Short mmCIF file of all heavy atoms in Angstrom, two decimals:
data_model
loop_
_atom_site.label_atom_id
_atom_site.label_comp_id
_atom_site.label_asym_id
_atom_site.label_seq_id
_atom_site.Cartn_x
_atom_site.Cartn_y
_atom_site.Cartn_z
N ALA A 134 -136.83 104.47 78.15
CA ALA A 134 -137.38 103.65 79.25
C ALA A 134 -137.93 104.52 80.36
O ALA A 134 -138.93 104.11 80.86
CB ALA A 134 -136.22 102.69 79.75
N LEU A 135 -137.18 105.56 80.60
CA LEU A 135 -137.69 106.51 81.66
C LEU A 135 -139.08 107.11 81.27
O LEU A 135 -139.97 107.31 82.05
CB LEU A 135 -136.63 107.63 81.91
CG LEU A 135 -136.97 108.76 82.81
CD1 LEU A 135 -135.62 109.13 83.60
CD2 LEU A 135 -137.62 109.87 82.23
N MET A 136 -139.10 107.44 79.97
CA MET A 136 -140.40 107.98 79.43
C MET A 136 -141.56 106.89 79.55
O MET A 136 -142.52 107.17 80.00
CB MET A 136 -140.29 108.35 77.86
CG MET A 136 -139.31 109.63 77.74
SD MET A 136 -138.69 109.73 76.04
CE MET A 136 -140.21 109.14 75.07
N TYR A 137 -141.23 105.74 79.19
CA TYR A 137 -142.20 104.68 79.27
C TYR A 137 -142.82 104.45 80.61
O TYR A 137 -144.05 104.31 80.79
CB TYR A 137 -141.71 103.29 78.69
CG TYR A 137 -141.15 103.33 77.37
CD1 TYR A 137 -140.17 102.47 76.93
CD2 TYR A 137 -141.75 104.09 76.32
CE1 TYR A 137 -139.54 102.41 75.68
CE2 TYR A 137 -141.17 104.16 75.09
CZ TYR A 137 -140.10 103.24 74.67
OH TYR A 137 -139.75 103.30 73.45
N VAL A 138 -141.86 104.35 81.59
CA VAL A 138 -142.36 104.19 82.99
C VAL A 138 -143.12 105.43 83.49
O VAL A 138 -144.20 105.18 84.10
CB VAL A 138 -141.10 104.01 83.96
CG1 VAL A 138 -141.52 103.91 85.36
CG2 VAL A 138 -140.40 102.56 83.55
N THR A 139 -142.65 106.50 83.19
CA THR A 139 -143.24 107.70 83.73
C THR A 139 -144.71 107.89 83.15
O THR A 139 -145.66 108.23 83.77
CB THR A 139 -142.52 109.03 83.40
OG1 THR A 139 -141.21 108.93 83.88
CG2 THR A 139 -143.14 110.21 83.84
N LYS A 140 -144.82 107.66 81.83
CA LYS A 140 -146.06 107.81 81.07
C LYS A 140 -146.98 106.69 81.78
O LYS A 140 -148.33 107.08 81.89
CB LYS A 140 -145.91 107.48 79.58
CG LYS A 140 -147.07 107.39 78.71
CD LYS A 140 -147.57 108.87 78.42
CE LYS A 140 -148.69 108.76 77.33
NZ LYS A 140 -149.18 110.13 77.08
N ALA A 141 -146.68 105.57 82.00
CA ALA A 141 -147.48 104.51 82.57
C ALA A 141 -147.96 104.87 84.06
O ALA A 141 -149.09 104.63 84.50
CB ALA A 141 -146.78 103.17 82.44
N ALA A 142 -147.01 105.49 84.77
CA ALA A 142 -147.26 105.77 86.15
C ALA A 142 -148.08 106.91 86.43
O ALA A 142 -148.86 106.99 87.45
CB ALA A 142 -145.88 105.87 86.78
N LEU A 143 -148.05 107.85 85.63
CA LEU A 143 -148.71 109.18 85.80
C LEU A 143 -150.08 109.09 86.25
O LEU A 143 -150.58 109.66 87.16
CB LEU A 143 -148.55 110.16 84.60
CG LEU A 143 -147.44 111.17 84.77
CD1 LEU A 143 -147.10 111.81 83.44
CD2 LEU A 143 -147.56 112.17 85.83
N PRO A 144 -151.03 108.32 85.42
CA PRO A 144 -152.44 108.34 85.82
C PRO A 144 -152.64 107.77 87.25
O PRO A 144 -153.51 108.22 87.99
CB PRO A 144 -152.97 107.30 84.82
CG PRO A 144 -152.14 107.44 83.69
CD PRO A 144 -150.80 107.58 84.27
N HIS A 145 -151.79 106.79 87.73
CA HIS A 145 -151.90 106.17 89.04
C HIS A 145 -151.49 107.30 90.16
O HIS A 145 -152.08 107.36 91.09
CB HIS A 145 -151.05 104.94 89.18
CG HIS A 145 -151.52 103.98 88.13
ND1 HIS A 145 -152.67 103.15 88.39
CD2 HIS A 145 -150.93 103.50 87.11
CE1 HIS A 145 -152.74 102.44 87.32
NE2 HIS A 145 -151.83 102.49 86.49
#
Side-chain angles (χ1 to χ4, degrees):
L135 178 147
M136 290 163 41
Y137 300 150
V138 172
T139 302
K140 179 74 167 177
L143 266 169
H145 302 287

